[in-house]
Amino acid sequence: MELVVIRHGQTRANAESRYLGALDIPLNEEGRRQMSELALGLSTEAPFARLVSSPLLRARQSAEQISCALALPVQLSPAFRERHVGLFEGLTQGEARERYPELWARNITRRWAEAPPGGESLDAVIARVSQGLTELVHEHEGERVLLVAHGVVAKVIRALTCAGFADFFEWQLHNGGRLVVNLASALSPIRFHRLTEQDSPCGA
């Protein structure tokens, strides 16, 4: 199965470099432009069997533009929603450092098993994204699937399927960017764990 992961278009929070996880805000004008351009490009490619989206508004709006261009219905999957970062939601890094100095000093958002209060750990995100990918592999062997999701979700998919976790915190998919990975049925259940450091390179 070929999985094409799209990060949703830009929002105001993205433009202002704010933590944006569970906050449910729309695309801004630039985000709508990004997705319109992307949708046009996707319409010229080989067909997709399924269009899947995170249920958060910014992803749904992005997927709806693609849906119109590809004539594919959007299927929502909570497994691919963005990581909830608790108390840090909506804050810039500077604001998070100032308001919660102890959490910031512990580098709390980059700890695998912990998260800011009220938030979700990276290990929890990895577990649910793993489950979502496993289901896609079972249901769509040999097909092309398009997934509209989020920055951390894209990081997790890339790390789990082809790149390992060595550069997890450095690598980033920009708004409107795409990641292509190939998921073979032979990987079911997929070796989804964050100890993997050496795998074949991801697709472009």
Side-chain angles (χ1 to χ4, degrees):
M1 186 190 87
E2 182 180 73
L3 179 66
V4 179
V5 183
I6 303 295
R7 186 181 177 191
H8 62 81
Q10 188 186 79
T11 67
R12 179 177 178 180
N14 295 138
E16 295 175 353
S17 297
R18 295 184 179 277
Y19 285 103
L20 179 59
L23 294 179
D24 211 13
I25 65 174
L27 300 178
N28 62 13
E29 182 177 351
E30 172 61 14
R32 292 189 294 272
R33 184 202 64 77
Q34 289 172 337
M35 299 314 299
S36 177
E37 182 177 301
L38 177 66
L40 181 62
L42 290 170
S43 69
T44 67
E45 297 184 9
F48 291 90
R50 184 177 179 185
L51 172 57
V52 182
S53 175
S54 155
L56 293 175
L57 179 60
R58 57 194 183 273
R60 295 202 321 268
Q61 289 181 332
S62 299
E64 285 164 5
Q65 288 189 250
I66 295 172
S67 174
C68 291
L70 303 185
L72 272 179
V74 180
Q75 301 181 32
L76 301 182
S77 175
F80 301 113
R81 69 185 185 275
E82 183 58 298
R83 179 192 185 190
H84 193 315
V85 289
L87 293 177
F88 285 10
E89 291 280 347
L91 303 180
T92 64
Q93 290 192 5
E95 290 168 343
R97 183 188 303 112
E98 181 178 349
R99 294 188 194 184
Y100 306 106
E102 293 183 5
L103 292 174
W104 186 265
R106 294 182 60 226
N107 208 11
I108 192 67
T109 60
R110 294 192 173 196
R111 290 180 175 265
W112 298 107
E114 299 180 71
E120 184 179 23
S121 71
L122 285 170
D123 279 348
V125 177
I126 292 167
R128 65 171 165 81
V129 171
S130 297
Q131 181 60 37
L133 289 176
T134 299
E135 292 174 2
L136 287 180
V137 169
H138 283 313
E139 296 170 7
H140 298 282
E141 181 179 356
E143 297 179 329
R144 295 188 83 210
V145 174
L146 187 59
L147 170 64
V148 182
H150 306 271
V152 173
V153 173
K155 283 175 174 282
V156 170
I157 291 173
R158 176 180 178 268
L160 292 173
T161 60
C162 59
F165 284 81
D167 64 346
F168 182 82
F169 296 110
E170 288 73 41
W171 184 85
Q172 182 66 58
L173 188 64
H174 62 80
N175 291 115
R178 61 188 282 172
L179 167 71
V180 181
V181 297
N182 288 291
L183 304 178
S185 58
L187 296 178
S188 182
I190 304 173
R191 295 180 299 109
F192 288 154
H193 56 82
R194 61 178 170 84
L195 299 179
T196 301
E197 297 292 351
Q198 295 180 345
D199 287 294
S200 59
C202 293

